[in-house]
Amino acid sequence: MINIYDSVNQVAADLQKLDEFKALQEAIAAVKNNQESTALFKQMDEMQTKIINSQTEGRDFPKDLQDDYQKLNEKVQKDQQILKLLQAEQALYKTVDDVQKAITKPINDLYDGLRNNK
């Protein structure tokens, strides 16, 4: 019997060897080495958690939270370290998305067969 977790662990190890992963690693280190960027990142992370929790609980997005988010987003857009981090993260997640599509293709093919009576 095949152990799919061995394959997944290998993919995870390979992921860490990608240039995209290394770029994200460097971008995170740059944010950590800049106190202002670190503080801003933590604020952004807390704000995103509040927003997600609000949405998960089915609550409206409060006006004051919207205003705070907009102000914070303006600050983030001016922080070069965080912008580099977000760009690196986006590039890595594109690769992860491509891998996920490849992994789930056989499942999607099964459903396509059901939908198209194949």
Side-chain angles (χ1 to χ4, degrees):
M1 183 171 173
I2 191 164
N3 185 348
I4 198 165
Y5 296 104
D6 290 339
S7 300
V8 170
N9 289 329
Q10 184 61 54
V11 169
D14 290 345
L15 182 76
Q16 294 176 50
K17 297 173 187 172
L18 294 177
D19 290 341
E20 293 89 344
F21 183 89
K22 292 174 185 174
L24 179 58
Q25 196 172 35
E26 291 170 8
I28 288 172
V31 169
K32 284 182 180 179
N33 289 329
N34 183 307
Q35 288 181 344
E36 290 177 22
S37 295
T38 299
L40 193 55
F41 178 84
K42 287 179 180 180
Q43 285 179 316
M44 183 178 67
D45 193 49
E46 289 172 11
M47 179 67 70
Q48 288 175 339
T49 300
K50 286 180 186 178
I51 291 168
I52 290 169
N53 288 342
S54 179
Q55 291 173 338
T56 301
E57 294 170 4
R59 290 184 280 137
D60 289 333
F61 196 57
K63 177 75 171 124
D64 61 327
L65 193 57
Q66 290 176 21
D67 293 341
D68 291 347
Y69 179 76
Q70 185 174 355
K71 290 175 189 172
L72 183 58
N73 192 40
E74 289 171 7
K75 289 180 185 178
V76 166
Q77 294 300 318
K78 295 176 185 174
D79 189 297
Q80 291 303 310
Q81 302 304 326
I82 292 179
L83 287 178
K84 287 178 185 177
L85 183 149
L86 295 173
Q87 290 168 347
E89 179 183 70
Q90 187 176 26
L92 181 60
Y93 276 111
K94 183 191 179 320
T95 301
V96 170
D97 185 48
D98 291 346
V99 170
Q100 181 181 7
K101 285 177 184 174
I103 290 170
T104 58
K105 185 180 181 324
I107 298 167
N108 291 330
D109 289 349
L110 286 174
Y111 280 101
D112 283 345
L114 178 62
R115 288 181 189 105
N116 299 320
N117 295 325
K118 289 182 183 177

